Amino acid sequence: MKRNDLVFLIAGGAGLIAAFFGAVGAPQVEWVNAPAAIVNGVPIPREALARAVVALDADSRNPVTPEREAEVLQRLIEEELLVQHGVELGLAETDFAARRALVQSVLSLAVAERAGDDASEAELRQFYLDNRGFFAPAQRFSASIVFVRDGADAAQRSAAIRQSLASGADAANLGDPIAIPMPSGALPQAQWTRLIGPEAAAAAARLAPGDVSAPIATAGGHYIVRLNGFIAAPAAPFEDVEEQVRAEWERRADERAARAYIERLERAARIERHIERPPSS
C-alpha cells in the first residue's frame, strides 16, 4: 500500500470512529485523559509528557516531531523505572541527597498551593510598617583605629595605647602609620570589614560606645579599636524598597504555606516519639 493511501485510510477510519462515538456515545475511558504510559502500575500523565515536549521544543532549534515525542516518552519511562528502583533500594530512606531532593520537591508543592495569593499594595505597606526595622539600612558606627606593629615592645605599647584611647586620646597620635587612612565618620560594618578585616570589624561592632578592644591580630601586627558611637540609619521610604518588601513578604508567605502543609501531614500521621520534646519556654 502506498504511503498516501495509508494516510487517507487512517483519516477515513478516524472519521468513522468519530461518527460512531457521536451516535452511540463515548466509551467509559476518556482516551484524551488517559496516561501516556503506565510503568508497573504507575501512570505517566499526558500532561507530564506535554510539559517535557514543550521544554524540549524551547531548548531545540528543530521542530518536535512524533519521533522526538516518542523519545521524550521513553526518557520519562526510564526515569520512572529508575525512581521506582531507587525506592525499592530504600534510597529515599538512606541516601541524604535523594531525601533532600524529595523534601524540596514536596515543599515546592506546598508553596505552589498558595499560587495567586499575592499581597495588595495596602498589605505590603502595612507589612513594611510592621517590619520597618528589618528594611532599615545596616546600622553604622564610628571608631578610632590604632595599628601596632609587631616587635619586642608591642605588648607594652599596646597597653599604653589602650589606656590612652580609654582616656579619650586622638588615635592619630598613637601607634604606627596605617597604609589606608581611617575615616572619622560612621560606616556600616561591611565597609569597616573591607578596611580592617572581618575580625576587627566584628569586635568593634560588639563594643559599647567608649569601650576599647583588646589587641586584634592582623598582618604584621594588631589593631586596637575604640568604638566612638552608633548611628541608626533612617528607614528608606516604602517606594524605594517596595521590591525588597514584596520579596520578603512572599518569602514569609512561602514559609507559612510550607509550615501549614507539614502540620497537616503531621496531624494525619501516626508518630511515636521515643525522645520527648523539651517543654516550651
Side-chain angles (χ1 to χ4, degrees):
M1 183 180 293
K2 295 182 180 179
R3 179 179 178 81
N4 288 341
D5 294 338
L6 180 61
V7 171
F8 285 124
L9 179 60
I10 294 173
L16 289 173
I17 292 171
F20 176 78
F21 286 161
V24 303
Q28 293 298 316
V29 177
E30 294 183 14
W31 292 106
V32 173
N33 296 323
I38 300 176
V39 183
N40 293 328
V42 177
I44 296 177
R46 289 182 181 272
E47 292 81 0
L49 175 60
R51 286 195 298 269
V53 170
V54 169
L56 176 65
D57 189 30
D59 292 338
S60 175
R61 297 180 181 179
N62 300 319
V64 177
T65 63
E67 290 76 15
R68 298 288 296 282
E69 185 178 20
E71 291 176 5
V72 172
L73 178 58
Q74 177 62 25
R75 296 297 175 269
L76 293 177
I77 291 171
E78 292 171 358
E79 180 182 277
E80 179 60 34
L81 287 169
L82 290 171
V83 168
Q84 292 181 17
H85 189 57
V87 171
E88 290 174 358
L89 294 175
L91 294 183
E93 290 77 26
T94 60
D95 186 87
F96 177 75
R99 288 176 62 86
R100 183 170 56 185
L102 185 59
V103 166
Q104 291 302 320
S105 296
V106 175
L107 287 178
S108 296
L109 292 176
V111 170
E113 285 190 353
R114 75 164 196 89
D117 181 22
D118 296 327
S120 65
E121 182 177 341
E123 289 175 316
L124 286 179
R125 286 184 179 274
Q126 187 60 51
F127 178 71
Y128 169 74
L129 291 175
D130 294 341
N131 299 274
R132 184 175 294 180
F134 181 87
F135 299 105
Q139 185 173 240
R140 296 174 294 165
F141 61 86
S142 59
S144 297
I145 312 295
V146 176
F147 174 70
V148 180
R149 186 177 293 110
D150 287 337
D153 60 346
Q156 183 179 356
R157 293 177 62 208
S158 294
I161 289 170
R162 292 189 67 209
Q163 185 175 1
S164 298
L165 285 175
S167 301
D170 187 351
N173 300 321
L174 303 171
D176 297 307
I178 300 178
I180 302 175
M182 292 293 116
S184 57
L187 298 175
Q189 184 174 338
Q191 288 185 247
W192 280 114
T193 296
R194 287 193 286 271
L195 288 171
I196 59 177
E199 291 185 10
R206 291 192 295 266
L207 297 173
D211 284 353
V212 178
S213 74
I216 305 163
T218 187
H222 56 266
Y223 288 121
I224 299 174
V225 179
R226 179 182 66 207
L227 182 72
N228 297 327
F230 288 100
I231 298 178
F238 171 79
E239 290 75 13
D240 291 351
V241 293
E242 182 175 356
E243 289 304 313
Q244 181 185 353
V245 173
R246 184 179 300 278
E248 181 61 21
W249 187 93
E250 291 180 352
R251 186 189 68 80
R252 297 189 190 186
D254 288 347
E255 285 186 351
R256 289 193 298 271
R259 175 49 51 192
Y261 194 92
I262 293 170
E263 289 174 354
R264 290 204 307 271
L265 294 176
E266 190 169 3
R267 285 194 298 269
R270 295 189 302 274
I271 300 175
E272 297 180 10
R273 298 186 188 279
H274 298 283
I275 299 177
E276 294 297 325
R277 284 178 171 175
S280 58
S281 55

